[in-house]
Amino acid sequence: IREGRRLMFPDRSKRVKDARSEAQKEIEDYRKSKEEEFQKFEKEHTSGNKKAEQDAEKDAEDQMNAIKGAGDKSGQKVVDELLRVVTEVQPEVPDRVGQ
């Protein structure tokens, strides 16, 4: 039976192979176009993220510098005041105890 079919439809297997290879080519072309589309999309949208990241980094650095500047400016004064309060004990009787 198979021999008969092969004799009746000699080019059937060739057509199936051709259709399969053509379908594979279409799939590869589609995949390639979608990959290019994704690369383009990613390139357009990540450039904004890089800019935002750089801006955030600069803002954080500016804030750190401001904090360090404030610490340098009044840090010693704060330490001295803390030491004074801790070392100069001035006992006081609470108001409730006196009642």
Side-chain angles (χ1 to χ4, degrees):
I1 293 178
R2 288 185 183 177
E3 188 64 34
R5 284 187 185 163
R6 218 175 321 155
L7 292 174
M8 289 177 65
F9 307 107
D11 62 332
R12 183 173 185 265
S13 64
K14 183 182 183 305
R15 285 186 299 173
V16 169
K17 286 180 185 178
D18 290 346
R20 188 174 289 145
S21 65
E22 186 177 330
Q24 189 64 34
K25 184 181 181 307
E26 287 179 14
I27 290 169
E28 289 300 320
D29 290 345
Y30 180 76
R31 183 177 291 143
K32 185 178 177 183
S33 71
K34 286 298 178 184
E35 182 66 28
E36 288 171 357
E37 197 175 302
F38 174 72
Q39 294 295 331
K40 181 181 176 188
F41 176 84
E42 190 176 42
K43 186 177 182 180
E44 288 174 359
H45 290 84
T46 56
S47 63
N49 290 342
K50 288 180 183 177
K51 174 92 170 97
E53 186 178 325
Q54 289 172 345
D55 291 347
E57 205 170 292
K58 185 180 181 306
D59 289 345
E61 189 175 325
D62 291 346
Q63 289 177 357
M64 287 298 295
N65 288 335
I67 291 169
K68 286 179 183 177
D72 291 343
K73 181 179 176 183
S74 61
Q76 190 58 46
K77 182 179 174 184
V78 170
V79 171
D80 291 341
E81 183 65 21
L82 278 172
L83 287 173
R84 185 190 64 76
V85 170
V86 170
T87 57
E88 294 178 12
V89 179
Q90 297 176 354
E92 294 179 9
V93 177
D95 292 338
R96 290 187 175 201
V97 174
Q99 293 176 354

